[in-house]
Amino acid sequence: MVRLMKKLTATSSIAFALALGASTGVIPTTLHAANYENYTGFAIDETPVLPAAETHPSLWFDADGIAELRARRTQDEVAARLWSKIAESPFATDPIPALPTETDKTTLHKYFGAMSQIAITSGLLYMGTEDAAEREAWRLRAVEVLLRAYDGPLYEIDPRNSSTAADEIYRGTWAQNYAAAYDWVQPTLTPEQDTAIRERLAREAAYMHENLYDWASRPHNHLSKPAWGLATLELALSDHPDAKDWLALALQASNDNTRYFFSSDGIYREGSHYYIFSLINFVPFLYHYRNVSGVDAFDAFQPAFEWPVAIRNGKGWIPNIEDSYIRPFPSRMVSGAYRNATSRFGAQPSFGAILQWNGDATDFVPFELEEKESGFNYSGASWDYALPTTEFLCYDPSVKPAPPACSPTVFLDSGQTAFRNDWSFNDPAHRYLLFQGVAEADNHEHFEHLSFLIQAENQMMASDAGYSRKSYGEAIRTQWYRTPEAHNVVMVDGKAPGDIAENWTPPSRDRIDTSFFDFEEKSAAYASGGTHARAIAFPGQEYFVVADRIQLPQPGEIAFVFHGGRAALDNNGTQCTWTYENDRYGPTAKLFSHFLSTGATLARKEGEVTYIKGDYAAFPYITNTLNADEALFLSVFVPAAIDAQAPAIESLPCSGGAIGARVTRGETRDTFVLQPAPLANETAGLSSDGRFAWMREENGRAASLFAQEAKSIAAPGGFALDVSEPSSFAVHLASNGAIEIDLSCASPLTLRVAGAPANAAATFQGERIDAKREGNALVVALPAGGKLLITEGSK
């Protein structure tokens, strides 16, 4: 069998990177050909499994499921709306087209795609309609198209020519459309009709099998999409003597894709757009393999369905990272498959309930407007994919929706973090920041390491520039959209940071997730030497602070870049207000920001932003630039309603090269300090030796604190914490005297807490532990990081 070649072993690629970085002390971005076998993805069993005998229908449902299919049409509003769309579709109402005489790409592509959509649409209407005369009309329409399947000059067009009318990514979807239609009408066919249609489908299957790895020598979507289509064709023709070979190759190609472009926790490295573009093929394949052969691969693919929920914003959208527009996740398509499954979100509610909720809690309006205006739906395959037909086939109205019951802040080990204050939908009070640090892949990759996006006040705020204006082949895609400056990154000499070694996720550390403060730092390397460490803080789960530390082996131009999205910008020095109009992405809103640094100069520029295909325009962004071998940036972002008063954001004088900020909002005052190294520092009453430190004062009383990589922190009023090992920790000082301490540390450590109640009791991870008094402090030994709670109580 064909197998993708591994260019370098994991060991040799790391050794190569280490050798290049020896002189600078850092590991540079990888500079060699891709290794497709050392990433963290997932795979299914490649042993092909066929049924004992070919049976029809069987791909989407069997004969016993027809009654349920018909009942589903009116079971709830979602199902009724989808069925109405199917019945009113032009693929149901328009005449079957004649083979076009024009041979240009667009005409032929639309024809081939339309024929396959007519087939599946007519076939489903035949199965779902109860009136005998109407059913027969739909059946005849489906059969007529199937007898012409793959007609015309299809096999004279080489898919290896870039974006031809018969590209392999289209063929995978056509195959699944035709296979479903054949599966439904097969029991009604004459022997002559059955033979003629099977010959057409088998010819396509053999053609795909022969050319699959020639069309795509790399494991991106041009390999996986036709592979999933080939698998469906085989399952529809399982009695064919070559069926097992077809399925074996399809499973191998599927695994080549999922091992490399998916992470073990489901992140799709080609971005949200190509995730959906792939989902439209792998979801049908999963159902077909389970229904026909009894092989349930949903378990292996579960992380790929958890990921879009984990990173969804407050409107349910997955962001426009990599080559991508924003996209909804049609999660109701798989809610029934996970009806009783546990997930990364916990045992209850079930993952199926969460998927059903996610579909209900997604704003589809911008994508419906796009389809109405342009004719393009969100699938990325509008000319090929029967969207409402497949959604109806997958939808299970009996699954009751429920939101996740876990923390809304989600850390994905493969490089993305979603900071949230809750799981609400369409709520102006919702706060969301996506922190991006996924190992680079070799297709649809953007220069966006350690970038971030913000959505709040129900509006898109800090943004990625997006995919392109309208298509992959536009020059502006590479001249602007893929460039580092089109992303919220820190550049050195015009370059963004990258991986320290091939397929290595940028390291994440110091994770804190509490009800009053969240935090994480990620780091990456510059190819020319040097490192970027970026931390995100979420004080009070109300707004965001971004802390950047850059260290280089020699001076260079260091530029902090920030895009505020589709906003008007009013700036007064380093204080900027971004104002958003009421548009298809959200209501009017504001984002107040302050950009502090160690001597950088802020400049205002303009660049395009595209959230949805064709909806592009130029908007302001800022750069904050200096020439140095090290730099600190401390940036504050406060989302607010359009009529809200601006918070007071000011810089604070600091010593030792540190920078500090104070944010005052009513009776709440937050103090932040960022240092180049963990040294003892006292700023505005906050004492700590952490790289980054925070203190919240409420009504003049210290209420919460945080320190990164620190051994001590102290606040006015007598509270002080000393830790035996450098750790990151968040502290909440309740008004009743209770103290909550959340620590991020893997090793044993001893805490000395001054200011604890005189008669204190301590619990760690919910279990009572020993604590002793030493003078005015309470001393506690812990096996590692976790949650420590100190309260008034008897020993």
Side-chain angles (χ1 to χ4, degrees):
M1 279 189 179
V2 178
R3 174 63 76 177
L4 292 168
M5 295 299 294
K6 182 170 67 173
K7 306 297 189 210
L8 289 173
T9 66
T11 302
S12 64
S13 65
I14 295 168
F16 178 60
L18 286 167
L20 285 178
S23 61
T24 62
V26 299
I27 305 173
T29 302
T30 182
L31 301 174
H32 49 74
N35 184 335
Y36 298 125
E37 298 187 11
N38 73 331
Y39 191 53
T40 64
F42 61 86
I44 63 176
D45 189 340
E46 290 185 16
T47 305
V49 178
L50 297 176
E54 185 178 316
T55 305
H56 299 284
S58 60
L59 287 176
W60 286 107
F61 48 83
D62 59 19
D64 293 336
I66 297 174
E68 185 279 326
L69 175 81
R70 294 174 181 172
R72 192 190 317 163
R73 296 173 304 171
T74 56
Q75 195 164 341
D76 68 4
E77 185 276 333
V78 173
R81 176 171 50 82
L82 289 171
W83 188 257
S84 177
K85 284 186 175 183
I86 295 165
E88 297 169 3
S89 163
F91 303 112
T93 59
D94 289 357
I96 298 173
L99 183 67
T101 56
E102 298 179 18
T103 59
D104 63 282
K105 175 201 168 185
T106 297
T107 300
L108 285 175
H109 182 185
K110 284 185 174 182
Y111 169 77
F112 294 138
M115 289 292 282
S116 78
Q117 291 200 62
I118 291 171
I120 191 173
T121 303
S122 302
L124 182 60
L125 288 166
Y126 159 66
M127 297 303 289
T129 301
E130 293 174 301
D131 181 86
E134 290 182 9
R135 291 189 73 230
E136 180 63 9
W138 292 122
R139 188 190 75 82
L140 291 173
R141 181 177 170 90
V143 172
E144 179 181 349
V145 175
L146 284 166
L147 287 167
R148 290 174 49 191
Y150 300 109
D151 59 355
L154 187 66
Y155 296 101
E156 300 168 18
I157 303 170
D158 189 349
R160 289 174 295 184
N161 294 333
S162 178
S163 299
T164 69
D167 196 298
E168 62 273 4
I169 56 176
Y170 314 148
R171 302 182 90 112
T173 306
W174 302 341
Q176 291 180 318
N177 291 343
Y178 281 130
Y182 172 70
D183 183 51
W184 295 326
V185 302
Q186 193 277 339
T188 73
L189 297 174
T190 67
E192 293 77 15
Q193 288 174 328
D194 190 46
T195 297
I197 295 170
R198 289 180 73 89
E199 285 178 351
R200 287 174 176 267
L201 300 185
R203 180 187 181 187
E204 178 67 3
Y207 182 67
M208 295 172 77
H209 177 264
E210 179 182 356
N211 292 286
L212 194 60
Y213 278 90
D214 288 334
W215 291 335
S217 60
R218 296 179 294 140
H220 50 51
N221 63 85
H222 285 256
L223 178 68
S224 56
K225 284 174 66 67
W228 292 315
L230 173 60
T232 292
L233 274 179
E234 175 281 325
L235 293 167
L237 306 174
S238 61
D239 277 352
H240 192 284
D242 295 328
K244 183 168 285 189
D245 287 342
W246 295 342
L247 180 58
L249 190 70
L251 296 175
Q252 176 186 306
S254 171
N255 283 341
D256 282 338
N257 174 263
T258 60
R259 285 190 182 103
Y260 179 75
F261 274 107
F262 283 96
S263 71
S264 57
D265 46 13
I267 297 171
Y268 191 61
R269 295 198 287 172
E270 287 191 294
S272 308
H273 174 83
Y274 286 94
Y275 168 79
I276 297 297
F277 193 47
S278 297
L279 174 143
I280 65 174
N281 296 111
F282 67 71
V283 165
F285 158 70
L286 292 173
Y287 279 113
H288 299 162
Y289 203 19
R290 186 185 69 177
N291 294 343
V292 173
S293 298
V295 177
D296 192 341
F298 280 98
D299 183 61
F301 272 77
Q302 181 170 325
F305 300 117
E306 293 176 345
W307 169 63
V309 178
I311 68 164
R312 57 169 274 143
N313 69 14
K315 291 202 176 262
W317 304 335
I318 41 180
N320 58 336
I321 53 174
E322 312 298 357
D323 267 349
S324 185
Y325 307 111
I326 58 168
R327 283 290 173 257
F329 170 38
S331 55
R332 288 184 291 230
M333 292 176 68
V334 289
S335 60
Y338 296 101
R339 176 189 303 274
N340 300 312
T342 61
S343 69
R344 68 171 300 115
F345 307 107
Q348 293 295 329
S350 73
F351 187 41
I354 292 170
L355 290 165
Q356 200 82 319
W357 162 82
N358 183 84
D360 292 349
T362 295
D363 182 359
F364 283 90
V365 171
F367 312 101
E368 292 167 351
L369 289 173
E370 177 193 12
E371 185 172 7
K372 184 177 180 180
E373 294 170 0
S374 69
F376 295 112
N377 60 47
Y378 68 79
S379 71
S382 302
W383 294 348
D384 310 304
Y385 179 63
L387 178 60
T389 299
T390 313
E391 287 187 328
F392 178 83
L393 285 164
C394 296
Y395 179 51
D396 186 344
S398 68
V399 179
K400 303 305 178 185
C406 61
S407 170
T409 290
V410 178
F411 301 104
L412 296 178
D413 288 337
S414 296
Q416 288 179 333
T417 297
F419 291 92
R420 297 184 189 84
N421 60 332
D422 57 34
W423 287 104
S424 63
F425 168 59
N426 261 349
D427 184 352
H430 182 78
R431 297 291 181 264
Y432 166 90
L433 182 147
L434 181 75
F435 192 11
Q436 169 78 0
V438 179
E440 296 165 330
D442 76 335
N443 202 51
H444 297 295
E445 176 72 16
H446 279 211
F447 303 103
E448 55 191 14
H449 262 24
L450 311 195
S451 65
F452 63 95
L453 312 173
I454 294 174
Q455 192 257 346
E457 295 295 324
N458 238 359
Q459 178 59 269
M460 306 273 283
M461 292 187 170
S463 76
D464 188 289
Y467 184 174
S468 190
R469 291 176 177 175
K470 296 182 179 180
S471 71
Y472 174 84
E474 295 173 307
I476 197 170
R477 186 183 74 86
T478 54
Q479 293 170 359
W480 168 245
Y481 288 93
R482 284 192 73 236
T483 65
E485 198 158 332
H487 307 87
N488 293 326
V489 299
V490 177
M491 304 184 300
V492 170
D493 295 328
K495 305 295 184 181
D499 295 339
I500 59 174
E502 184 179 11
N503 289 328
W504 276 27
T505 302
S508 297
R509 59 186 301 175
D510 304 321
R511 289 174 171 173
I512 294 289
D513 177 11
T514 74
S515 61
F516 60 93
F517 184 83
D518 296 347
F519 185 87
E520 183 189 49
E521 181 182 280
K522 298 182 186 293
S523 57
Y526 294 99
S528 60
T531 58
H532 176 205
R534 166 166 279 177
I536 304 292
F538 194 14
Q541 297 197 330
E542 296 160 347
Y543 65 98
F544 303 99
V545 175
V546 180
D548 294 292
R549 292 181 289 111
I550 297 87
Q551 295 180 317
L552 306 177
Q554 63 276 326
E557 183 185 76
I558 304 172
F560 171 99
V561 184
F562 177 75
H563 295 262
R566 298 171 60 92
L569 171 60
D570 179 23
N571 67 293
N572 179 14
T574 57
Q575 299 207 32
C576 299
T577 300
W578 311 79
T579 302
Y580 303 86
E581 295 182 355
N582 184 19
D583 59 20
R584 68 176 65 186
Y585 309 105
T588 55
K590 286 184 177 179
L591 177 66
F592 300 108
S593 59
H594 194 177
F595 302 98
L596 303 175
S597 65
T598 48
T601 300
L602 190 141
R604 174 178 176 148
K605 300 183 178 181
E606 278 203 348
E608 279 188 11
V609 174
T610 305
Y611 293 153
I612 288 181
K613 183 175 183 176
D615 187 20
Y616 60 91
F619 292 93
Y621 68 97
I622 65 101
T623 59
N624 213 11
T625 307
L626 73 160
N627 280 279
D629 59 3
E630 63 179 12
L632 300 179
F633 297 97
L634 186 62
S635 307
V636 179
F637 301 98
V638 183
I642 190 66
D643 56 355
Q645 184 176 1
I649 307 176
E650 58 184 316
S651 60
L652 296 174
C654 297
S655 60
I659 54 177
R662 172 171 287 164
V663 180
T664 303
R665 305 160 70 239
E667 297 301 316
T668 299
R669 186 170 71 177
D670 290 337
T671 300
F672 304 92
V673 178
L674 175 64
Q675 302 193 94
L679 300 171
N681 183 287
E682 196 283 327
T683 299
L686 171 62
S687 298
S688 174
D689 60 350
R691 291 185 182 274
F692 178 83
W694 163 69
M695 176 176 66
R696 168 160 290 189
E697 297 170 281
E698 296 176 348
N699 298 309
R701 181 187 71 87
S704 303
L705 303 106
F706 170 78
Q708 180 191 15
E709 295 179 43
K711 295 185 70 174
S712 67
I713 195 167
F719 173 81
L721 172 64
D722 292 287
V723 185
S724 60
E725 299 293 330
S727 309
S728 294
F729 45 79
V731 180
H732 180 64
L733 307 174
S735 57
N736 65 0
I739 302 172
E740 176 186 333
I741 305 175
D742 288 77
L743 300 107
S744 176
C745 182
S747 59
L749 64 166
T750 301
L751 277 64
R752 182 181 180 88
V753 185
N759 188 21
T763 60
F764 178 68
Q765 302 293 78
E767 300 290 334
R768 183 73 176 265
I769 61 170
D770 291 333
K772 63 179 181 179
R773 277 280 170 185
E774 290 185 359
N776 67 344
L778 191 71
V779 178
V780 180
L782 302 178
K787 184 184 293 293
L788 174 68
L789 183 63
I790 300 172
T791 58
E792 188 80 31
S794 63
K795 296 182 180 179

